[in-house]
Amino acid sequence: MMQLYYAATSPYVRKVMIVAHHLGVVDKIEKLTAAASPVTRDRNILSFNPLTKVPSAKTDDGLMLFDSRVICEYLDSQGNGGLFPTAGRARWIALMQQALGDGLLDAALLVRYERAVRPEQFRWQEWDAGQFSKIIDCLNEIETQAPTLEVKRFTIGEITLACALGYLDFRFPEIGWRDTHPNAAKWFAEFAKMPAMIATEPPKG
Ligand SMILES: N[C@@H](CCC(=O)N[C@@H](CS)C(=O)NCC(=O)O)C(=O)O
């Protein structure tokens, strides 16, 4: 069905793979290894996406698809998955939750690049702190919304929020978000039992 530039550690790729598992189309996706980085760019990805980020996909009939939001909605439309409600409040809530999860991830990734990629002498502590505080404010919002989050009749909203929380466990365990966000922790504990979540866990170590 499609080729997909992929990285096992990318939380945005994880969104796509959770959707693929959920819809039972994992073996219709050919995974292409990528080494995406904002500085040392992986130019192999260029013909799929000028931004050379993962995930980036190309369908068998030549359609270029990025970013994770577009690929997820494409897969969902092919499989009639219902992960993107088509109208009304449910649609806006799902898309807002997706934006909340993606937004948390965008801030977390900027902090990660700042700490892991930017040379020490060019780092700017206030900038790091500004982005980091966005992670915390998003976490607080997820906590507020947690009582409304589903574990069975979920949408792309829940999937994205779960990828965001899973990424914090993977790259920022020191935040210890469960201690301060008990409702989010309770919801995530249930959601994370889903086979699609287990199959897409980031590599350990
Ligand atoms: N908005 C994009 C974000 C994708 C993204 O930032 N992916 C990271 C890896 S987790 C990447 O490819 N970074 C390389 C770069 O910034 O050039 C999406 O939802 O797919």
Side-chain angles (χ1 to χ4, degrees):
M1 180 207 289
M2 63 166 59
Q3 292 182 304
L4 175 76
Y5 272 107
Y6 173 96
T9 52
S10 166
Y12 308 97
V13 170
R14 190 177 188 194
K15 286 171 64 187
V16 170
M17 295 312 294
I18 290 172
V19 170
H21 277 276
H22 180 67
L23 300 174
V25 295
V26 175
D27 31 341
K28 295 199 176 145
I29 297 177
E30 183 192 346
K31 291 192 235 165
L32 307 176
T33 310
S37 158
V39 182
T40 314
R41 298 176 61 198
D42 182 346
R43 302 189 78 82
N44 291 326
I45 310 173
L46 262 185
S47 65
F48 281 50
N49 175 355
L51 295 164
T52 61
K53 295 185 179 187
V54 289
S56 297
K58 203 175 266 186
T59 63
D60 293 344
D61 49 1
L63 197 58
M64 197 189 220
L65 295 177
F66 61 86
D67 55 9
S68 66
R69 293 167 272 216
V70 177
I71 303 170
C72 288
E73 189 159 357
Y74 176 84
L75 289 175
D76 190 61
S77 74
Q78 297 297 298
N80 289 317
L83 294 172
F84 288 78
T86 49
R89 253 181 106 73
R91 174 167 174 80
W92 306 120
I93 290 172
L95 294 184
M96 171 274 293
Q97 288 171 340
Q98 173 167 237
L100 175 60
D102 280 343
L104 188 160
L105 285 172
D106 292 346
L109 206 68
L110 288 175
V111 173
R112 164 123 185 115
Y113 285 147
E114 183 74 13
R115 294 179 187 178
V117 178
R118 193 185 298 278
E120 188 97 47
Q121 70 269 32
F122 299 132
R123 289 188 198 154
W124 182 15
Q125 177 49 36
E126 286 81 354
W127 194 90
D128 180 305
Q131 296 304 315
F132 194 84
S133 72
K134 293 192 186 205
I135 301 176
I136 303 303
D137 285 330
C138 287
L139 265 174
N140 294 342
E141 182 55 35
I142 296 171
E143 178 68 7
T144 304
Q145 295 189 24
T148 70
L149 298 177
E150 301 275 348
V151 289
K152 289 213 163 66
R153 291 167 54 86
F154 53 84
T155 70
I156 192 62
E158 277 93 353
I159 289 174
T160 309
L161 294 176
C163 289
L165 295 173
Y167 185 72
L168 294 183
D169 285 343
F170 177 49
R171 294 294 197 202
F172 296 88
E174 68 280 4
I175 294 179
W177 62 269
R178 285 177 183 74
D179 299 339
T180 39
H181 301 81
N183 293 322
K186 197 167 148 217
W187 168 75
F188 185 74
E190 282 309 306
F191 196 80
K193 289 180 186 160
M194 199 170 56
M197 283 290 290
I198 294 168
T200 57
E201 269 172 20
K204 301 256 180 326

